[in-house]
């Protein structure tokens, strides 16, 4: 078996530079998940490292395949200095552990909810998983392993999350685009949903 985490770490460093901080969280019965922080100008990015160690498997499958299946890491980008976003490390680790803990497959268009603000005072308790490939390119692995995809997370207010459940991820993203929503603003208000 290939240890993919050193390769993932190297890909993150190539795309985002050297992390200026990292924290590790271990949940009972799961592998360790690290969250790395990268600062670039007024943007701070948090990337998980550990979620891709095991492939995600269909929760309906009788046995999890130890080799085949999608692999991913999560990336959250926010404006620095406007909120205590470093407190998002634990919620991000919880989201990254969800495939192991809950048997979910995290994919673009999905909603992930931590049930509490992503950081103190945040108007967001959930995120929309966006399409990969823009910020950090997929990491190709030798067959039969699936590539590691770096999935951007877009924070959603409770109203946006409810609206997305009815209208879909694409409709919400179009609403954000139409209204010129700054998705990196850690204290932004909900987009108009009327």
């Amino acid at each position: 078996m290939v240890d993919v985490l050193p390769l993932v770490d190297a890909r993150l460093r190539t795309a985002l530079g050297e992390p200026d901080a990292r924290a590790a969280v271990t949940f009972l019965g799961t592998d360790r998940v690290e969250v790395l922080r990268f600062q670039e100008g007024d943007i701070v990015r948090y990337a998980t490292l550990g979620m891709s160690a095991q492939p995600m498997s269909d929760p309906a499958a009788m046995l999890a395949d130890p080799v085949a299946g999608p692999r991913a890491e999560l990336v959250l980008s926010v404006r620095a200095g406007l909120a205590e976003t470093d407190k998002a490390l634990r919620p991000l680790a919880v989201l990254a552990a969800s495939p192991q803990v809950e048997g979910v497959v995290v994919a673009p268009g999905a909603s992930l909810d931590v049930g509490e603000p992503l950081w103190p005072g945040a108007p967001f308790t959930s995120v929309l998983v966006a399409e990969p490939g823009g910020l950090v390119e997929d990491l190709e692995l030798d067959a039969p392993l699936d590539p590691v995809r770096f999935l951007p997370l877009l924070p959603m207010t409770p109203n946006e999350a409810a609206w997305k459940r009815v209208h879909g991820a694409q409709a919400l993203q179009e609403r954000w685009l139409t209204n010129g929503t700054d998705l990196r603003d850690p204290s932004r208000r909900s987009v108009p949903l009327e």
Side-chain angles (χ1 to χ4, degrees), residues 34 55 65 71 118 129 154 178 188:
E34 286 188 89
D65 189 319
R71 294 175 187 260
L118 291 174
V129 180
L154 308 175
T178 301
R188 73 172 179 84

Side-chain angles (χ1 to χ4, degrees), residues 146-161:
D146 286 21
V148 177
R149 302 171 84 198
F150 297 88
L151 303 171
L153 301 180
L154 308 175
M156 293 188 294
T157 65
N159 286 346
E160 290 170 339

Side-chain angles (χ1 to χ4, degrees), residues 108-174:
S111 299
L112 302 175
D113 196 315
V114 293
E116 61 185 36
L118 291 174
W119 52 82
F124 320 105
T125 60
S126 62
V127 293
L128 175 65
V129 180
E131 291 290 334
L135 188 61
V136 183
E137 287 184 39
D138 291 355
L139 173 63
E140 297 294 331
L141 301 172
D142 292 336
L145 303 179
D146 286 21
V148 177
R149 302 171 84 198
F150 297 88
L151 303 171
L153 301 180
L154 308 175
M156 293 188 294
T157 65
N159 286 346
E160 290 170 339
W163 197 83
K164 181 250 174 200
R165 280 192 293 279
V166 174
H167 300 282
Q170 185 65 38
L172 179 58
Q173 288 177 304
E174 287 171 9

Side-chain angles (χ1 to χ4, degrees), residues 24-47:
V25 180
T26 305
F27 302 100
L28 188 63
T30 67
D31 295 330
R32 175 176 135 143
V33 174
E34 286 188 89
V35 180
L36 285 60
R37 183 180 71 191
F38 301 87
Q39 186 89 32
E40 183 185 335
D42 70 336
I43 302 295
V44 62
R45 301 185 201 288
Y46 302 95

Side-chain angles (χ1 to χ4, degrees), residues 77-85 119-124 155 182-189:
S77 300
V78 291
R79 295 206 179 283
L82 302 177
E84 290 183 82
T85 56
W119 52 82
F124 320 105
D182 180 3
L183 296 173
R184 295 176 178 168
D185 180 350
S187 56
R188 73 172 179 84
R189 298 191 182 281

Side-chain angles (χ1 to χ4, degrees), residues 10-123:
R11 175 56 55 94
L12 286 168
R13 289 167 187 270
T14 300
L16 304 175
E18 285 298 312
D20 64 356
R22 60 194 312 149
V25 180
T26 305
F27 302 100
L28 188 63
T30 67
D31 295 330
R32 175 176 135 143
V33 174
E34 286 188 89
V35 180
L36 285 60
R37 183 180 71 191
F38 301 87
Q39 186 89 32
E40 183 185 335
D42 70 336
I43 302 295
V44 62
R45 301 185 201 288
Y46 302 95
T48 63
L49 178 62
M51 181 177 170
S52 62
Q54 305 293 326
M56 294 181 275
S57 58
D58 182 347
M62 293 296 276
L63 289 172
D65 189 319
V67 177
R71 294 175 187 260
E73 296 290 353
L74 308 175
V75 181
L76 173 68
S77 300
V78 291
R79 295 206 179 283
L82 302 177
E84 290 183 82
T85 56
D86 281 353
K87 300 281 173 79
L89 299 180
R90 184 167 176 76
L92 284 173
V94 167
L95 296 177
S98 63
Q100 284 185 57
V101 175
E102 300 171 26
V104 298
V105 175
V106 177
S111 299
L112 302 175
D113 196 315
V114 293
E116 61 185 36
L118 291 174
W119 52 82

